Amino acid sequence: MIHTVLEDDSIILRPTSVEVDLKAMEHNVRQVRSRSGSARIMAIVKANAYGHGLLRTSQELLRMGVDELGVAFLEEGIALRKAGINEPILVLGGMIGNQVTHYLEYDLQITASSLFKLQQIEEVAAAAGKKAKIHIKVDTGMRRIGIREENAAKLFDAALASEHVELAGVFSHLASSHAKDKDFTHRQLERFLNVLEFFPRHGVPMPVRHIANSGAVLQHPESILDMVRPGIMLYGVYPSPEVERPMELLPTFTFKTRVVFFKVVEQGNPIGYDGTWTAPKESRVITLPVGYGDGYMRALSNKADVLLGGKRHPVAGSISMDQCMVNIGWDSAYVDDEVVLIGGQGEETITCEELAALCGTIPYEILTNINTRVPRRYV
Ligand SMILES: *Cc1c(COP(=O)(O)O)cnc(C)c1O
């Protein structure tokens, strides 16, 4: 199944696509598995599985042996349930009161981060005669969501006293696990482990403890507790340029298109909106049917290279919403020739790290920007 803007998935006419390499993904899952030992793996599939397609990617990751799934929003969890996925799913983002009935209806695990939210969950679950599964989020330094570590014991007490709540897990999120400087991560981990002392101290069974994202799996093995939450590494991308690389990850993602138009422009001809590139000499210029409306960011105008015939060629002029131009010098190209925007062709490779550096962002944003207008193919 391929998801496109068209209702009918059988009509795939667009020459632009994201190709997902399932063999590479399986390799990455094996690497995470060997690093994490007996810890459970919660594969993070938020934001359309980092641009890889939520449903199919989730199904494949489960087939490859991950234990659970983590999403950002309720709607992503519901989509997975509607597609027939029965494994545990945690919604990592903040919960809002009127969503609780939907969490219960679809058996989605709730991130609980305050006494108020816990009360809302307990009330709705009691009225429905159901037991809500929650993971308590402890803020150990990210300052995004979560109960401050000094107040966590109160929330644990309240959760254990709530009849319609099952405390399935306790987690926290690391702000800098990908960084060269490890101090802040050490401090966050120490705070987290301190907070967890509550359970042995009160003779209560320990819930599933989890804090390790990709950066932590790579360079903080001491943070691999009962479960890990890798996201970007499953997709073969390291979370930062400086992160330690104790294992080889393989990119799972190729963004490609085809030449839709070919022309020769004379010296001095400006190309595209605002004429931001002018042919320095008579040149061959190709047009590609892909633009910033697909997530090929406009910031890449006059900066990115693409691959054609196994060679790099520069984007020429401003990237439009649906199209962009490439200067191929005096090389030859024909309509329908394959062009790679991210990925390998012949001996050459363009990585999403390279594009991220060119537009001053992180590879996460490059991947998640490529939107649902682009069909995904799985190979
Ligand atoms: C996104 C996210 C992850 C995964 O992060 P990566 O850096 O992609 O591994 C893990 N946990 C939480 C709470 C997240 O929001």
Side-chain angles (χ1 to χ4, degrees):
M1 186 167 43
I2 297 169
H3 295 271
T4 70
V5 285
L6 295 172
E7 291 293 316
D8 182 352
D9 282 347
S10 66
I11 308 173
I12 302 296
L13 302 172
R14 249 201 111 173
T16 303
S17 66
V18 161
E19 230 173 68
V20 177
D21 181 343
L22 296 172
K23 272 222 156 63
M25 194 178 287
E26 191 155 16
H27 166 90
N28 300 334
V29 170
R30 266 200 306 272
Q31 296 293 310
V32 174
R33 171 59 73 205
S34 69
R35 183 86 168 157
S36 309
S38 60
R40 295 173 71 77
I41 299 176
M42 173 186 284
I44 306 302
V45 292
K46 59 193 178 186
N48 205 23
Y50 292 58
H52 288 62
L54 175 68
L55 300 183
R56 179 71 185 271
T57 303
S58 298
Q59 286 159 347
E60 295 291 344
L61 284 166
L62 289 165
R63 183 184 60 73
M64 294 168 192
V66 309
D67 303 290
E68 317 196 358
L69 299 172
V71 295
F73 301 137
L74 173 63
E75 290 79 354
E76 295 172 326
I78 293 174
L80 292 173
R81 286 286 182 250
K82 285 191 165 165
I85 287 176
N86 295 317
E87 281 78 359
I89 299 171
L90 172 63
V91 178
L92 300 160
M95 178 252 358
I96 292 178
N98 63 6
Q99 296 176 330
V100 178
T101 49
H102 304 286
Y103 275 95
L104 295 172
E105 180 181 350
Y106 290 99
D107 188 25
L108 299 168
Q109 304 191 1
I110 311 173
T111 291
S113 50
S114 70
L115 282 167
F116 176 65
K117 287 178 194 286
L118 179 72
Q119 275 161 16
Q120 290 180 316
I121 296 167
E122 171 64 19
E123 272 167 31
V124 177
K130 288 183 177 169
K131 204 149 178 164
K133 295 186 193 115
I134 69 162
H135 288 236
I136 287 181
K137 177 91 184 264
V138 182
D139 179 2
T140 56
M142 178 77 176
R143 306 292 178 246
R144 193 168 64 181
I145 59 170
I147 188 146
R148 294 283 285 252
E149 74 259 21
E150 57 270 27
N151 300 325
K154 268 182 255 166
L155 188 54
F156 295 155
D157 266 331
L160 294 168
S162 301
E163 270 179 50
H164 299 89
V165 165
E166 177 192 329
L167 180 54
V170 178
F171 74 115
S172 189
H173 192 50
L174 296 168
S176 306
S177 64
H178 55 274
K180 202 177 177 74
D181 185 341
K182 295 182 173 177
D183 284 354
F184 196 69
T185 303
H186 291 154
R187 220 172 316 153
Q188 281 197 273
L189 182 59
E190 194 183 306
R191 289 175 187 155
F192 188 53
L193 294 174
N194 280 341
V195 157
L196 291 165
E197 299 266 300
F198 172 95
F199 295 93
R201 205 165 51 235
H202 291 76
V204 179
M206 186 66 87
V208 173
R209 306 163 300 163
H210 49 110
I211 190 168
N213 52 5
S214 295
V217 169
L218 289 165
Q219 62 178 14
H220 294 278
E222 73 282 6
S223 71
I224 296 169
L225 303 173
D226 305 320
M227 184 155 75
V228 294
R229 300 194 309 269
I232 199 146
M233 69 187 304
L234 296 172
Y235 310 105
V237 178
Y238 294 90
S240 71
E242 74 265 26
V243 76
E244 285 169 23
R245 299 176 182 214
M247 62 184 76
E248 189 196 17
L249 300 173
L250 303 176
T252 55
F253 190 96
T254 305
F255 186 20
K256 54 168 73 164
T257 186
R258 290 181 182 280
V259 176
V260 76
F261 198 77
F262 172 92
K263 72 182 110 15
V264 176
V265 297
E266 301 91 51
Q267 181 184 8
N269 257 218
I271 301 278
Y273 284 120
D274 303 307
T276 61
W277 184 83
T278 304
K281 57 177 194 237
E282 193 177 33
S283 307
R284 293 172 172 173
V285 170
I286 55 171
T287 301
L288 308 178
V290 60
Y292 65 79
D294 300 297
Y296 192 59
M297 288 158 81
R298 192 166 177 277
L300 296 168
S301 301
N302 293 312
K303 289 186 182 161
D305 286 338
V306 305
L307 303 179
L308 167 76
K311 251 179 87 177
R312 285 176 174 263
H313 299 281
V315 168
S318 292
I319 294 171
S320 308
M321 188 183 292
D322 317 297
Q323 303 181 66
C324 63
M325 280 71 86
V326 172
N327 169 26
I328 62 167
W330 211 245
D331 285 344
S332 46
Y334 297 91
V335 168
D336 216 31
D337 279 356
E338 181 192 89
V339 174
V340 170
L341 309 170
I342 302 175
Q345 191 190 57
E347 301 287 293
E348 273 287 355
T349 302
I350 291 173
T351 62
C352 55
E353 287 93 331
E354 173 184 336
L355 298 191
L358 287 176
C359 43
T361 184
I362 54 176
Y364 295 76
E365 192 178 3
I366 298 292
L367 289 181
T368 57
N369 251 324
I370 298 171
N371 58 40
T372 51
R373 197 167 73 154
V374 179
R376 268 69 176 172
R377 293 169 211 282
Y378 300 85
V379 297

